[in-house]
Amino acid sequence: MYIKELKDSKEIARAISDLIVERIKEKPNLLICAATGGTPTQTYQQLVDQKSRYSTEKLRVIKLDEWGGVPMDNPETCESYMQKHILKPLNIHQENYFGFNSNAPNPEEEIQRIKSELKKNGPIDICILGLGMNGHIAFNEPPSDFNSECHIATLSKESLLHPMAVGMGTNPTCGLTLGIQEIMQSKTIFLIITGEHKQEIAKNFLTGSVSKHLPASYLWMHSDVHCYIDKQANNKK
Ligand code: PGA
């Protein structure tokens, strides 16, 4: 794993977005899997700011995960986030985007739909991840099986305390998520860890020991993970 400490989330956003822009130039129909939440927002903002440097005509995007049992247009869904921070500002064509419906009448069928979309369009070229307070990546909550695929997740208490869930005004009933397997099959993974509140989980993650109780630790088994951490999160004490 390539680990890079930078001063703050802004520097991280600049570094990662520069790398992504280069990749898009090399492969205009790149498939990007995008996490939502507070962590990657500045990276997406940087990509938007630099959009005159590349074409988004063929760029493909998949949503990493979604809250379940909430209307899609609730402002706190991952969908609303994707629309606001990525899809609209980058003019991603509708046919080049796929993601879970938060309010699918049959969530199990929805999981199968995304699984088959990914089989058709995958593998993911670049997967952008944040680190959950409990070590989850997407809604792969601890303990997470290494072989898990796209699935319906029971949300942990930490996830239910995430600002998106708290801001929804209703309790999400589950999570819809890519599994560890789909994430691990990504060609390149960017893991971003920022902020003082992530110190403890970052420290556990950076020991490098792999455990189902810290799902992000499976990333140590991947050959092309770039972990960017800011000074606030990387307290070595
Ligand atoms: P955050 O969420 O980026 O808002 O910290 C990360 C997560 O819970 O997966």
Side-chain angles (χ1 to χ4, degrees), residues 33 62-66 98-101 107-119 124 137-140 145-153 175-185:
C33 176
I62 177 169
K63 179 169 62 171
L64 177 69
D65 56 4
E66 184 56 275
F98 48 107
F100 302 102
N101 176 352
E108 210 34 81
E109 269 176 21
E110 185 62 2
I111 294 293
Q112 294 310 321
R113 182 180 73 84
I114 294 300
K115 235 180 181 169
S116 67
E117 286 285 7
L118 198 47
K119 281 218 169 78
I124 293 162
I137 42 175
F139 282 131
N140 293 283
D145 193 308
F146 178 70
N147 294 314
S148 71
E149 295 183 357
C150 200
H151 64 279
I152 298 171
L176 300 146
T177 187
L178 297 194
I180 297 292
Q181 280 305 305
E182 286 93 1
I183 292 172
M184 292 296 282
Q185 281 155 20

Side-chain angles (χ1 to χ4, degrees), residues 203 234-237:
K203 195 170 161 190
N234 198 18
N235 185 332
K236 299 187 193 74
K237 268 184 257 155

